[in-house]
Amino acid sequence: YWRTFHAFVSPKTVEFVNISLASSPTTKPECRFAGFRPLSIFPFTAPILLMLMLTFASAARVSAQPTAQSATTASVIHANPLDTSAVIRVAFRTTQGSFEAELYRRAAPATVENFLRYVSGGYYTGGLIHRTVKKNNQPDKPDSIKIEVIQGTVGSLYAQYALPPIELETTAQSGLQHLDGTLSMARDEPNTAQYEFFICLGNQPQLNFGGKRNPDGQGFAAFGRVTKGMEIVRKIHQAPAAGQALTPPVLIISVTRK
């Protein structure tokens, strides 16, 4: 809205001016002459009045600017890793059906932001869920740690434009766990994850920090969980495979934010 102030400025030439203040912090106050009429009073007070009004206009504009404190309040990370105010929802569409997941940005901010960059860039369009890990297709050794997951990747045309690897956010840091439906990042060495992700079938504690699935004991970076369509994930997990390679792989039509 606009506020208009009227005042005498010059007794001989100008009767008044309008000073308009906009509520928007990006709009400058306007000072324009609004009328002319010869006057013969107040010959010395007009300049003082004009200076006071311009000073008020400048102060009002400064007060409308956002403060540094308000701009940084939203960046505070709370302790609760499942704080619903920081949950981001994404939808996966595949040739085997659709499912949805929640991403926990407060718990695993770097991992979630990395995944979302791939999502917003369309990297997963034309990607594949290419791997199914079952208890019966892993080495049967006394010291082997068996898990059950499916693994997905970006489209082949996008792999050459992959973003730099991210630092590992362990489950000890995030407070998340590898439970049934957990979304996590695949990796080789620590700090090498880029775009390959996996989804847990059943609880997988050996994928957490301190678990024995990976010899370095750092575990994997859990960052979300499937909340709808878990039956599609199970269907993909049980699809035909040659060893751990799905035959054929399941096409990812799209991954989008909701």
Side-chain angles (χ1 to χ4, degrees):
Y1 59 91
W2 293 90
R3 294 178 181 174
T4 303
F5 299 86
H6 306 280
F8 291 103
V9 175
S10 171
K12 294 184 179 181
T13 57
V14 182
E15 179 183 359
F16 59 89
V17 295
N18 291 342
I19 295 179
S20 301
L21 302 178
S23 60
S24 169
T26 60
T27 304
K28 295 182 178 180
E30 296 180 3
C31 178
R32 57 181 179 272
F33 296 116
F36 297 84
R37 189 171 69 186
L39 297 175
S40 60
I41 59 173
F42 309 124
F44 302 107
T45 58
I48 298 174
L49 288 173
L50 179 59
M51 292 178 62
L52 289 173
M53 287 186 295
L54 292 177
T55 301
F56 175 80
S58 177
R61 183 170 181 267
V62 170
S63 66
Q65 300 292 339
T67 64
Q69 181 178 1
S70 64
T72 59
T73 300
S75 65
V76 176
I77 297 178
H78 297 290
N80 181 6
L82 302 184
D83 183 356
T84 56
S85 66
V87 169
I88 297 171
R89 293 171 175 80
V90 292
F92 294 74
R93 292 179 60 219
T94 79
T95 49
Q96 289 291 328
S98 300
F99 57 93
E100 298 178 7
E102 293 180 342
L103 311 183
Y104 304 119
R105 183 159 56 185
R106 291 199 189 278
T111 309
V112 169
E113 291 305 320
N114 176 72
F115 186 79
L116 289 176
R117 283 195 288 270
Y118 284 106
V119 169
S120 62
Y123 282 72
Y124 291 112
T125 299
L128 300 172
I129 298 177
H130 59 92
R131 184 185 182 202
T132 179
V133 182
K134 309 173 186 176
K135 290 184 178 180
N136 61 4
N137 65 4
Q138 298 171 76
D140 192 10
K141 298 179 180 179
D143 59 347
S144 64
I145 303 297
K146 294 186 177 182
I147 60 171
E148 292 191 289
V149 303
I150 60 172
Q151 185 170 330
T153 189
V154 299
S156 58
L157 294 178
Y158 293 101
Q160 59 183 317
Y161 304 110
L163 302 173
I166 59 172
E167 185 175 347
L168 174 63
E169 290 180 311
T170 69
T171 56
Q173 295 171 313
S174 68
L176 301 174
Q177 300 291 308
H178 286 85
L179 307 173
D180 186 42
T182 290
L183 194 62
S184 190
M185 295 302 297
R187 68 173 179 88
D188 293 321
E189 300 299 321
N191 308 325
T192 60
Q194 290 181 285
Y195 49 77
E196 293 263 350
F197 66 90
F198 64 88
I199 302 173
C200 295
L201 282 296
N203 296 342
Q204 308 294 331
Q206 295 298 337
L207 299 179
N208 295 331
F209 180 81
K212 298 180 180 180
R213 173 68 182 192
N214 198 304
D216 58 41
Q218 297 297 302
F220 297 82
F223 65 98
R225 194 172 185 182
V226 175
T227 55
K228 184 178 180 181
M230 194 62 191
E231 69 278 4
I232 301 300
V233 175
R234 300 188 193 286
K235 179 181 177 182
I236 295 172
H237 186 240
Q238 295 300 321
Q244 295 182 0
L246 285 166
T247 54
V250 175
L251 178 67
I252 300 174
I253 300 171
S254 66
V255 181
T256 55
R257 290 182 66 162
K258 294 198 66 182

